[in-house]
Amino acid sequence: MWRIHMAALISGLGLAATSPAFAQSERQGAVYVQPYIEVSQLLTAELSPGDDVLTFTQIAAGLDLNAQGRNSGASVSVRYERNIGYGDVADSDTISGVARGYISVIPQAVTFEAGALASRTRLDGGGSIATNPFVSDNSTSEFYGVYAGPSLATNVGPVNVAGLAQVGYNRFESDSGTADIDGNPVDFFDDSVTYNGQISASTRAGSVLPVGLSASAAVFQEDISNLDQRVRDIYARVDVTVPLTPSLAVVGGVGYENTEVSSRDAVRDDLGNPVFGDDGRLITDPSSPRIVAFDVDGLLWDVGVLWRPSSRTSLGAYVGRRYDSTTYYGDFTYAPSSRNALAVSVYDGISGLGGPQNAALSGLSSDFTAFRNPVTGDFDGLVAGEDGSGLINSLGSIRSAAFRNRGVNVTYQHQIGRLTAALGAGYNRRTFIAAEGTALEDIDGLTDESYFLTGGLARDFGTNASAQLNSYISWFDAGTPNGDLNAMGISASYSQLIANRLSARAAVALDYFDSDFSAEDFATASALLGLRYDF
């Protein structure tokens, strides 16, 4: 909700702000399009708690695309995979990938951007989920997200005008429901639609007045299908930027905000118990009145500092009052060279599950390469690109209720010759919001926490061979008994060209899940041998 607000403040300091949507790649005019098919044999050996050995034939088709022009740019990594099991092992189909792109409808003024995500996850008891599920896992599910909309960035005399309008859709699909340790069903997210609109007008310090001025307004709404929940946040504010030095300024802002979370109740049986559908989700009672769970209407304010000593370093840090409580947010970017990039983001907002996912998508560069698990082919949220690495947050919990979302994300990318290293890490804290008298009232105020770390190394050996190393680790504290989930894993792969467009692939992986919901831990080792043909 502070994307344009931040850009306006930097403009007020007299420094140019660069958004990925308007950044021009150093590789203007470059187009890379690589469709491919793969056929592999996959073996998984259960190390704990059992010792089963399973085999699969893996057939996959995918597309990697990177196209960068003067007024447009896009990166796409999409893959369809079918795993054919032998014996009593069930077959599985998976679509995974990420896409982000833009096109300048009116150069230097109006841009249309869009993004999409498909991710396979592991659904655990209590509503917790993790990326990188086992190929043989029966608890897998899919998360899909997409957003699109125009953005504006132009000047009217000395006034910088910026705005955006975005619509997003998010959906979680699972063949089975989930329950807590006592066997009580957990209402997990179905789908939601998000609306995000922002507009700002600002002047730089020295252009009209000795200080920079900004006026902005924004509206965010997420409509969650579960119990017809609605999150709505509207604000208007003014900000003053006071330069202290050419690179340092203090900022103060004040405004009005109205934030409301509401829902309907579930259908009740004759005993007054909420009714769950065949999909494991609560059935919404459309005749139920809308019940307000959270309502804050009044003053918001914050103060902070802006520091931009060079085009390679930028810091914004703020503290203030929002949602009737103290708030902290900001970001830091440091790119000492074209081979290194560090980014830190601290956030605070209220939404459903879809809001953070759409925000993460829109925050990605349109010029990237996605890291994938070389055994399962899954995309686990980490990308590397011309503007540094990017990260799409770990989902952590898939509960349907709206929540206060606070945390920090860190990404780092380093490139040495043909070696690219990328790292993503973060902490996320969610405090759920539910209305009294509804089927979700028991989780009102419940807090869960996620810590996650993911990394990747990619190395090309000339034009005929390449290697990749991936690792991940996550800790999830559910805030409820026996709901915690820890996951970790490492994988490595090697590819060698053996004929024109045909290459041989080999990969190994080790994955481990420690779930409080289950009395036993799960660990598997996997190995893959296969062929890939690039068209």
Side-chain angles (χ1 to χ4, degrees), residues 406-417:
R406 287 173 281 192
V408 57
N409 281 342
V410 180
T411 59
Y412 176 73
Q413 180 177 312
H414 184 71
Q415 188 167 4
I416 305 176

Side-chain angles (χ1 to χ4, degrees), residues 146-165:
V146 62
Y147 89 97
S151 58
L152 169 71
T154 189
N155 296 322
V156 180
V159 180
N160 302 313
V161 179
L164 62 82

Side-chain angles (χ1 to χ4, degrees), residues 406-495:
R406 287 173 281 192
V408 57
N409 281 342
V410 180
T411 59
Y412 176 73
Q413 180 177 312
H414 184 71
Q415 188 167 4
I416 305 176
R418 296 178 179 272
L419 175 67
T420 298
L423 178 71
Y427 165 76
N428 180 253
R429 176 186 176 91
R430 297 178 182 176
T431 302
F432 291 95
I433 303 169
E436 183 178 354
T438 68
L440 296 177
E441 66 175 342
D442 289 343
I443 67 169
D444 183 45
L446 175 70
T447 296
D448 66 32
E449 295 177 293
S450 299
Y451 304 82
F452 48 92
L453 175 67
T454 181
L457 291 172
R459 176 71 159 86
D460 290 334
F461 300 95
T463 59
N464 296 330
S466 63
Q468 183 174 320
L469 177 68
N470 292 355
S471 63
Y472 68 93
I473 184 169
S474 63
W475 303 268
F476 176 71
D477 182 352
T480 56
N482 302 106
D484 298 354
L485 174 65
N486 302 324
M488 63 187 71
I490 187 170
S491 58
S493 66
Y494 180 80
S495 178

Side-chain angles (χ1 to χ4, degrees), residues 378-401:
D378 292 327
F379 170 66
D380 59 6
L382 184 65
V383 303
E386 290 290 320
D387 297 324
S389 58
L391 179 68
I392 297 181
N393 286 350
S394 166
L395 293 172
S397 168
I398 205 69
R399 289 182 180 272
S400 68

